[in-house]
Amino acid sequence: MISKLSLLLLYKKKLIFISILLIFLTLIDFVSIGSIPFMIGLMVDENFIGTEILINLFDLDQFNIFQKKEYFIFFILFILLAFLLKFFLIILFHYSNEKLQFEIKENILSKLFKLYFVQNYISFSKRGSAKIIRNLSIEASNSAIYFSNIILLIKELVIIFLFLSYLFYINIKISLISFLIIVLIIFLLYFFFNRRVKLFGKSFVFAKEKLINNVKDNYNSFKEIKIYDLEKVILLDFKKITKKINKIAFKINIYKNLPRAYLELFIIFIILVIFYQFSDTKENFISYIPTLSFLAMVVARLIPSFSVISSVFINLKFYEQSLNHIIFELNDLNENKESFSETIDNKESNNFILDEIDYKIKFENVNFSYSKDKNLFTNFNQLIVKGDKLLISGLSGSGKTTLVNLFIGFIKNYDGKITVNNKDIKNNINVWRKNISYCPQQTILIDDTLIKNITFEDQSENINHDLLNDVYEIVDIHSLINDLPQGEQTILGEFGHQLSGGQKQRIGIARALYKNRNILILDEATNALDENNEKKIINKVLSYYKKKTVIAITHNVYLEKFFNKTIDLKT
């Protein structure tokens, strides 16, 4: 079970280092600021409370440097060194904190990405691309920011505690009043902001997902938008979503700045209390200068701390929604145990390596349905042997692609068996899939070169160029390569929008053929080609895969003559 604590405990060593660094930084911060009022106190009053402390701490009598000139030199050097050390410690602290935030983000991203892509087909498709994009691009970063803010909060609280503790030592009455006011401010902030910011965080998460969906849908529907003159309609929808997001961001920023008003009231109140305390005194006012100077330095130092805390407080409530969402997502993926069984290979894995053996693939009394109302397959049986050329046809919705998904192992919640040489594929899905090349109806092209879209290789030495040339010949893609500005090294762009549907399908078939596996599945992979080119390419593919198994899904009955087996699925 993943929790906030378990995520943090992965970085115990770094947290210990940051904690030690935090202690040193807080102490040097206190000493560097506190030393200035001590210097002022020794200048104006030899009986100042800090005199005895400094004499004992630095053994000043022994060095006989309590003349004013030597005293100034000593304190100037001391203060300078203290602030220099503080400067380097601050840099080291922020570097360590940012690095920890980066590593937490990387860890969450890698966990999420891995868990998403080891799911089964149905579980993955139910999540939706917008949700996955939002989690990987936004929520993972926000979750890491949450932990970074926790460390900043602890840092500022420790500083406030240390300074207030010394204020108690200097003047308990003023310090007690200050402390009570701080507690009151914190309580008011929590009471006022907690529920509101929490709701803003939840709304922001879902609004971002809606925005991603909106942009993605409009991008993919560009042609329809232009044809049907829908620009005003989609702009209106887009404005509604962005207005909601910006409204939430506006409120969050207002809430972040509101605590500054509380701080001003606090500071004014403290100053008025101090003046009141000293207004009735009959003693020399000079004797109070060290105390007043120290109080002034403390107030000046604590103002940034209170500002940071107020901002951090808002950030924590806001980013907590992202973190809670990510933790829920990680736990939900981890608890979905059946999603991961397909990656576990057992001792029977050698039975699924089909390179050098004859094989028989059997569907045995397979029953499957997406709903309880109607079975898509009832007691379905089919034998496929090595070298078969199987054509699957049928009307839309008859289960053609579902049958292929069962065959590949994307769907596992069926009754009956699918076996290879009498071994159930469910027991070794991962190795079984290594026998299969698959070409879908819609070829997804990456924003890279044509050759990488086929081979998925960056380095030329890793490419089998002889096989690649055979593939080019089979799908008749040479004319496309010659027309491209840089040939096979031409960047195709996102989704290959400059290419026709038929050209994309040729690249998709080339990709599947280049894998050169034992079983080739073509899922409506040639439906964007004209009849003559479709027949030509299918004939070449089947000739090239003469000794291998080819399964093709199509609506085109004129392709039946190329196959030795057919399955006609009825609705």
Side-chain angles (χ1 to χ4, degrees):
M1 186 74 174
I2 296 174
S3 63
K4 296 174 187 176
L5 182 60
S6 65
L7 284 174
L8 266 182
L9 288 178
L10 294 173
Y11 307 93
K12 285 187 288 187
K13 290 183 179 179
K14 284 185 171 57
L15 287 172
I16 292 172
F17 173 76
I18 290 176
S19 299
I20 294 172
L21 187 61
L22 182 59
I23 293 171
F24 279 106
L25 178 58
T26 305
L27 289 174
I28 199 67
D29 195 14
F30 176 76
V31 170
S32 60
I33 291 175
S35 59
I36 295 175
F38 268 92
M39 182 173 67
I40 295 172
L42 291 172
M43 287 174 58
V44 299
D45 184 7
E46 292 182 359
N47 297 317
F48 174 59
I49 192 170
T51 303
E52 187 178 347
I53 296 174
L54 288 175
I55 291 173
N56 294 331
L57 181 62
F58 296 106
D59 199 12
L60 298 178
D61 280 338
Q62 177 181 339
F63 295 99
N64 194 26
I65 62 170
F66 241 118
Q67 299 298 319
K68 281 193 175 182
K69 185 176 180 180
E70 290 83 358
Y71 158 77
F72 270 121
I73 294 173
F74 172 82
F75 253 102
I76 288 171
L77 290 175
F78 177 80
I79 293 171
L80 178 62
L81 289 173
F83 273 94
L84 281 173
L85 181 58
K86 176 185 172 183
F87 171 76
F88 288 113
L89 286 177
I90 287 174
I91 292 175
L92 184 58
F93 171 79
H94 285 292
Y95 172 82
S96 302
N97 193 22
E98 289 297 321
K99 188 175 181 182
L100 177 62
Q101 178 182 326
F102 172 80
E103 291 183 7
I104 291 173
K105 176 184 173 181
E106 287 295 301
N107 180 44
I108 292 173
L109 282 172
S110 61
K111 280 180 183 292
L112 273 177
F113 194 84
K114 179 181 178 181
L115 290 173
Y116 280 136
F117 286 94
V118 294
Q119 293 178 90
N120 62 47
Y121 174 75
I122 293 177
S123 177
F124 181 81
S125 59
K126 284 181 178 179
R127 294 189 179 273
S129 60
K131 181 178 181 180
I132 293 172
I133 292 170
R134 186 200 72 205
N135 288 341
L136 293 174
S137 62
I138 300 173
E139 306 307 333
S141 298
N142 289 350
S143 299
I145 293 173
Y146 176 88
F147 289 113
S148 178
N149 274 267
I150 286 285
I151 294 172
L152 287 176
L153 178 64
I154 293 172
K155 170 180 171 287
E156 299 304 328
L157 286 176
V158 170
I159 289 172
I160 290 173
F161 173 79
L162 188 60
F163 276 95
L164 286 180
S165 297
Y166 193 73
L167 277 178
F168 271 95
Y169 179 70
I170 297 293
N171 191 313
I172 190 170
K173 188 175 181 180
I174 294 177
S175 302
L176 183 61
I177 294 172
S178 303
F179 177 75
L180 291 175
I181 293 175
I182 291 171
V183 171
L184 179 61
I185 290 174
I186 292 173
F187 175 78
L188 290 173
L189 288 172
Y190 182 83
F191 179 78
F192 183 76
F193 292 123
N194 181 47
R195 186 171 176 274
R196 290 173 175 81
V197 176
K198 193 173 182 180
L199 289 174
F200 290 157
K202 287 182 178 179
S203 299
F204 197 77
V205 167
F206 292 112
K208 280 288 188 180
E209 182 177 340
K210 197 170 182 180
L211 177 63
I212 293 170
N213 260 327
N214 179 272
V215 173
K216 183 167 62 71
D217 292 344
N218 290 332
Y219 183 85
N220 293 329
S221 306
F222 182 81
K223 291 180 180 179
E224 291 91 335
I225 290 168
K226 301 300 288 184
I227 290 170
Y228 300 124
D229 195 22
L230 297 174
E231 288 92 340
K232 291 182 180 179
V233 176
I234 65 166
L235 180 60
L236 185 62
D237 290 340
F238 181 78
K239 281 185 174 180
K240 286 180 182 177
I241 298 170
T242 54
K243 184 177 181 180
K244 184 176 182 179
I245 292 172
N246 292 331
K247 189 175 180 180
I248 294 171
F250 170 78
K251 289 181 178 179
I252 289 296
N253 288 332
I254 291 295
Y255 279 21
K256 282 184 179 180
N257 292 317
L258 274 179
R260 296 178 186 272
Y262 286 100
L263 294 178
E264 288 181 5
L265 286 174
F266 167 72
I267 294 167
I268 293 298
F269 187 82
I270 291 297
I271 293 172
L272 291 175
V273 169
I274 292 172
F275 273 102
Y276 176 78
Q277 285 292 311
F278 295 121
S279 63
D280 295 331
T281 181
K282 295 180 181 179
E283 300 179 21
N284 191 347
F285 184 74
I286 294 177
S287 63
Y288 289 100
I289 289 178
T291 301
L292 292 173
S293 63
F294 182 76
L295 290 174
M297 295 295 293
V298 168
V299 170
R301 176 60 187 88
L302 293 186
I303 288 175
S305 292
F306 284 129
S307 296
V308 170
I309 286 175
S310 64
S311 295
V312 165
F313 177 81
I314 301 297
N315 288 339
L316 287 176
K317 301 311 298 182
F318 183 74
Y319 292 123
E320 186 179 25
Q321 305 312 308
S322 294
L323 179 60
N324 290 339
H325 177 79
I326 289 297
I327 289 174
F328 175 82
E329 188 82 347
L330 289 170
N331 286 323
D332 184 52
L333 290 167
N334 275 320
E335 288 171 6
N336 193 10
K337 297 297 183 182
E338 67 270 16
S339 296
F340 312 113
S341 60
E342 60 189 60
T343 66
I344 301 172
D345 302 337
N346 60 27
K347 295 178 181 179
E348 296 181 349
S349 61
N350 290 332
N351 295 312
F352 293 88
I353 301 175
L354 308 181
D355 294 338
E356 304 295 335
I357 64 172
D358 292 330
Y359 53 84
K360 292 181 179 180
I361 304 166
K362 292 181 182 179
F363 284 74
E364 301 180 46
N365 299 315
V366 171
N367 297 280
F368 174 75
S369 65
Y370 287 107
S371 64
K372 296 179 181 179
D373 300 334
K374 180 183 176 182
N375 271 359
L376 199 56
F377 295 101
T378 303
N379 295 326
F380 179 81
N381 293 278
Q382 181 67 42
L383 173 65
I384 304 170
V385 298
K386 183 176 182 179
D388 269 347
K389 308 297 183 283
L390 175 64
L391 182 75
I392 302 173
S393 62
L395 300 175
S396 296
S398 59
K400 300 185 297 297
T401 298
T402 300
L403 184 60
V404 167
N405 288 337
L406 288 165
F407 182 85
I408 296 173
F410 286 154
I411 299 173
K412 298 191 297 178
N413 57 327
Y414 58 85
D415 296 325
K417 287 184 178 181
I418 303 174
T419 62
V420 178
N421 291 339
N422 298 317
K423 302 296 183 182
D424 198 324
I425 66 169
K426 279 185 179 180
N427 297 329
N428 219 298
I429 291 292
N430 198 39
V431 177
W432 163 239
R433 286 185 188 149
K434 291 180 180 178
N435 295 289
I436 299 171
S437 289
Y438 174 72
C439 182
Q441 176 178 349
Q442 184 178 359
T443 299
I444 305 300
L445 299 178
I446 59 176
D447 189 7
D448 214 306
T449 62
L450 181 143
I451 193 170
K452 186 171 181 181
N453 267 281
I454 294 172
T455 65
F456 290 110
E457 293 287 353
D458 287 310
Q459 303 300 322
S460 179
E461 58 267 24
N462 295 330
I463 297 173
N464 185 336
H465 290 279
D466 291 333
L467 175 59
L468 186 61
N469 287 327
D470 289 341
V471 167
Y472 286 165
E473 180 64 32
I474 293 168
V475 299
D476 196 16
I477 206 173
H478 288 294
S479 59
L480 170 62
I481 294 174
N482 293 332
D483 289 340
L484 292 173
Q486 283 82 42
E488 62 184 11
Q489 296 298 329
T490 301
I491 301 293
L492 299 183
E494 188 177 15
F495 302 126
H497 280 320
Q498 301 301 315
L499 303 177
S500 69
Q503 289 171 329
K504 291 179 188 178
Q505 286 195 331
R506 289 174 192 267
I507 295 171
I509 297 168
R511 180 188 292 170
L513 292 175
Y514 181 80
K515 291 298 181 182
N516 198 27
R517 294 183 173 179
N518 296 290
I519 300 169
L520 173 65
I521 297 175
L522 303 173
D523 187 354
E524 300 274 12
T526 56
N527 66 352
L529 300 170
D530 61 77
E531 182 176 338
N532 289 333
N533 278 315
E534 185 177 23
K535 287 179 178 178
K536 183 179 177 181
I537 289 177
I538 288 293
N539 189 39
K540 283 185 176 182
V541 168
L542 296 180
S543 298
Y544 184 77
Y545 262 48
K546 189 174 292 185
K547 294 183 179 180
K548 297 184 179 183
T549 301
V550 178
I551 300 172
I553 295 175
T554 184
H555 288 93
N556 301 327
V557 293
Y558 55 76
L559 295 176
E560 285 187 15
K561 64 182 180 180
F562 295 103
F563 296 82
N564 70 309
K565 289 183 179 180
T566 60
I567 298 175
D568 186 12
L569 297 176
K570 306 296 183 181
T571 56

